[in-house]
Amino acid sequence: MKARNIFAWNSLISGYSFNGQFEDALKLFNMIENHGIKPDLITYNGLVYGYSMWGRSKEALAMIHQIKVSGLTPNVVTWTALISGCTQKGNFKDAIEFSRQMLEEESIKPNSATISSLLRAWSGLSLLQKGKEIHCLGIRNDHLEDAYVATALVDMYSKCGSLESAYEVFQKIQDTTLGSWNCMIMGFAIYSWGKEAIALFNEMQEAGFQPDAIFFTALLSLCKNSGLIDQGWKYFDSMKVDCNISPTIEHYSCMVDLLGRSGYLDEAWDFIEKMPTEPDALVWGALLGSCKSHENLELAQIAAKNLFKLEPQSPANYVLVMNLYAILNRWEDLEQIRDLMGVRGVKGGQVWSWIQINQTVHHFSARGKPHPDEGDIYFELYQLISEMKNSGYIPDVKCVNQNIDCVEKEKVLLSHTEKLAITYGLLKTQSQAPLRMVFNSTTSEKENVLATTPDDDDDGDGEGYEDDWNGEADEMPPDFDEDGENANIGFGKSTKRVDNVTKNEEKVLLPAFSDGRPGERW
């Protein structure tokens, strides 16, 4: 280009920045003035967003300082770029801190994109009360008519354990988009509301919306969570026949998971062999999890062999295999897997749960400092388990992958952080409202304190791996240091009772709805 204006420079700088090529982006940035062009706010905003979306929050904030030094004034777009990038990267605490600076220190009024990003940040931390506050902020600033804000609200309420609120918000959206339909279907999928989701799918088609690949991922996820095999095959086949959508690896993974969970492991294996694409870790992980549930060692070893090649540093894969070996009493094989982890340097990340009581977040970690009230917590927990046993409860100790007697295995089951958090909530709250507890583990066949469901799981190795840990050091609770010290924060009151969801989400069991349906998940 002979006549390169500011728009051309901005496009090129943003492109490099969004792809994480900051050295090239900064070279171009420094070249602008040599060509007689002064960088404008859009130039800086592209760098701010690039830095934040690649997890380099300090550099992004420094760029905002540089904007001020240059004589320009950061606006709502600048700060939203910073907040949105952090949220997209999963740096939710940074996003929230930057939003505080924008609102309180800079006195900048949020726009609809800001509200959407903040809703995503609070849903990432599973903090329903703070999400409600952002909902109110959106109302005060007249942003609820925006389709992206409404969709973000549906997503926030679904992920924070309030599916009824999510559906109420969805029903009030005047101009629904395909994204809002996708989000609501995924909310139903999380809680295995099969009939409601299928009815919503039919309603969407009647409204003239054509499902896309993302929608079918949500729909197949619903089928696998609800055990709807026939419907799953129907929707999988209709993707290409009726909608001309080629299945992706996510769709194939859902089908493997659907077949495997339902006990059709041979069919799942046959499905994998006939896949037109090479199976990835999602597919093999789905098969391995199903093999563990149905104690199929032969296929489990095939899946594990592939996973160890594709994800050699993921602890979750090794833990799943160890859990299966423990169930089958193959202790020598289990120790070989443990030794293999040591040789490869595979370590489990920090496993934690936290619960908010009034204005304080209480943190429970598998490693680290014990809670100050640990003695009272265990005493109450033993009392609860004793009462449950009198009512017919039998702890599932098969999944404890230590070669110890059953009494000791039961003790191991009591040490899981979510049990401690739930018990502490029962000790410290009198309200009949739901108890909300956040944890950073993936669940499969968990042993719960108050209830056992078909989708729960405990590995119980006593060595910091909990509930088939997902292999990532997830975001620490708000306002905690590296040791996980308890902290006072400005969140709303905690709530009571429990069920299970998934990684980094809340456990919650709500009262029944007015029409008699069970709350959230029974």
Side-chain angles (χ1 to χ4, degrees), residues 309-320:
K309 289 180 180 178
L310 293 169
E311 297 180 332
Q313 295 300 311
S314 173
N317 302 326
Y318 298 90
V319 172
L320 271 173

Side-chain angles (χ1 to χ4, degrees), residues 96 99-100 103-104 115 118-138 140 153 156-157 160 354 356 358-359 361 436 478-479 489-493 506:
I96 291 163
S99 68
R100 185 197 63 79
L103 296 170
E104 297 179 8
I115 298 295
L118 287 175
L119 286 169
R120 183 177 177 186
W122 286 118
S123 68
L125 292 171
S126 296
L127 288 168
L128 178 61
Q129 184 58 39
K130 299 305 290 185
K132 288 181 177 179
E133 292 177 16
I134 302 302
H135 189 170
C136 293
L137 183 63
R140 290 198 300 269
L153 277 169
M156 183 276 293
Y157 280 118
C160 290
W354 60 266
Q356 175 199 338
N358 296 326
Q359 298 302 309
V361 166
R436 302 185 185 279
D479 290 359
I489 55 175
F491 300 156
K493 182 172 173 57
E506 298 182 18

Side-chain angles (χ1 to χ4, degrees), residues 10-11 13-19 22 25 29 40-54 60 63 67 77-78 81-82:
N10 287 347
S11 297
I13 290 171
S14 296
Y16 278 117
S17 178
F18 295 171
N19 282 284
F22 298 109
F29 180 81
D40 61 9
L41 199 54
I42 296 175
T43 316
Y44 287 101
N45 288 349
L47 289 167
V48 169
Y49 182 66
Y51 276 125
S52 60
M53 72 181 292
W54 282 89
M63 190 58 63
I67 293 174
V77 177
T78 309
L82 176 63

Side-chain angles (χ1 to χ4, degrees), residues 114-222:
T114 317
I115 298 295
S116 298
S117 296
L118 287 175
L119 286 169
R120 183 177 177 186
W122 286 118
S123 68
L125 292 171
S126 296
L127 288 168
L128 178 61
Q129 184 58 39
K130 299 305 290 185
K132 288 181 177 179
E133 292 177 16
I134 302 302
H135 189 170
C136 293
L137 183 63
I139 293 173
R140 290 198 300 269
N141 289 278
D142 296 323
H143 291 312
L144 293 193
E145 298 299 321
D146 185 276
Y148 293 102
V149 172
T151 300
L153 277 169
V154 172
D155 183 61
M156 183 276 293
Y157 280 118
S158 295
K159 290 180 178 177
C160 290
S162 186
L163 190 59
E164 184 183 35
S165 297
Y167 190 55
E168 288 177 359
V169 171
F170 176 78
Q171 287 181 310
K172 293 178 182 178
I173 300 176
Q174 294 182 354
D175 298 316
T176 54
T177 64
L178 183 57
S180 58
W181 288 98
N182 289 349
C183 203
M184 193 65 249
I185 288 287
M186 186 57 77
F188 284 134
I190 293 174
Y191 297 96
S192 303
W193 281 24
K195 293 181 179 179
E196 291 82 355
I198 291 173
L200 190 66
F201 175 46
N202 295 332
E203 183 182 338
M204 187 192 85
Q205 289 183 312
E206 291 175 1
F209 283 90
Q210 181 75 6
D212 60 2
I214 297 174
F215 185 88
F216 276 107
T217 301
L219 205 57
L220 292 175
S221 295
L222 167 82

Side-chain angles (χ1 to χ4, degrees), residues 189-418:
I190 293 174
Y191 297 96
S192 303
W193 281 24
K195 293 181 179 179
E196 291 82 355
I198 291 173
L200 190 66
F201 175 46
N202 295 332
E203 183 182 338
M204 187 192 85
Q205 289 183 312
E206 291 175 1
F209 283 90
Q210 181 75 6
D212 60 2
I214 297 174
F215 185 88
F216 276 107
T217 301
L219 205 57
L220 292 175
S221 295
L222 167 82
C223 291
K224 75 175 184 180
N225 291 343
S226 305
L228 304 174
I229 297 179
D230 292 340
Q231 289 89 336
W233 273 118
K234 173 186 173 183
Y235 296 135
F236 182 80
D237 292 337
S238 72
M239 284 180 62
K240 196 166 186 178
V241 175
D242 300 328
C243 301
N244 198 28
I245 298 174
S246 298
T248 66
I249 197 68
E250 287 80 11
H251 302 119
Y252 288 114
S253 173
C254 285
M255 289 303 299
V256 171
D257 209 355
L258 170 61
L259 293 169
R261 288 190 187 197
S262 302
Y264 297 101
L265 291 171
D266 290 336
E267 287 82 353
W269 173 245
D270 185 61
F271 185 85
I272 291 173
E273 288 191 309
K274 293 179 179 178
M275 282 172 49
T277 58
E278 191 72 19
D280 68 351
L282 280 174
V283 174
W284 293 119
L287 181 63
L288 179 58
S290 298
C291 289
K292 177 207 161 189
S293 300
H294 298 284
E295 302 179 17
N296 188 314
L297 182 59
E298 181 182 358
L299 289 179
Q301 290 175 330
I302 295 173
K305 182 179 179 181
N306 284 279
L307 281 170
F308 292 166
K309 289 180 180 178
L310 293 169
E311 297 180 332
Q313 295 300 311
S314 173
N317 302 326
Y318 298 90
V319 172
L320 271 173
V321 177
M322 287 194 292
N323 289 344
L324 177 57
Y325 282 143
I327 292 171
L328 299 175
N329 292 316
R330 297 175 66 109
W331 302 109
E332 291 184 4
D333 293 328
L334 187 151
E335 289 303 321
Q336 287 180 3
I337 297 297
R338 205 188 298 275
D339 292 341
L340 179 61
M341 292 180 68
V343 171
R344 294 185 174 181
V346 180
K347 296 180 180 179
Q350 187 177 22
V351 178
W352 51 259
S353 300
W354 60 266
I355 189 170
Q356 175 199 338
I357 306 296
N358 296 326
Q359 298 302 309
T360 303
V361 166
H362 295 268
H363 177 261
F364 300 85
S365 176
R367 302 165 181 168
K369 297 180 181 179
H371 192 278
D373 295 327
E374 188 178 68
D376 293 338
I377 294 170
Y378 273 109
F379 179 81
E380 179 68 15
L381 183 53
Y382 273 106
Q383 295 283 88
L384 285 171
I385 296 299
S386 177
E387 292 180 20
M388 290 166 64
K389 286 182 176 179
N390 291 336
S391 299
Y393 163 72
I394 301 175
D396 179 14
V397 298
K398 293 190 300 180
C399 50
V400 179
N401 57 25
Q402 295 183 72
N403 191 10
I404 52 180
D405 61 43
C406 290
V407 174
E408 293 301 313
K409 287 185 178 183
E410 288 189 26
K411 292 180 181 179
V412 170
L413 292 177
L414 294 179
S415 67
H416 281 233
T417 61
E418 64 269 34

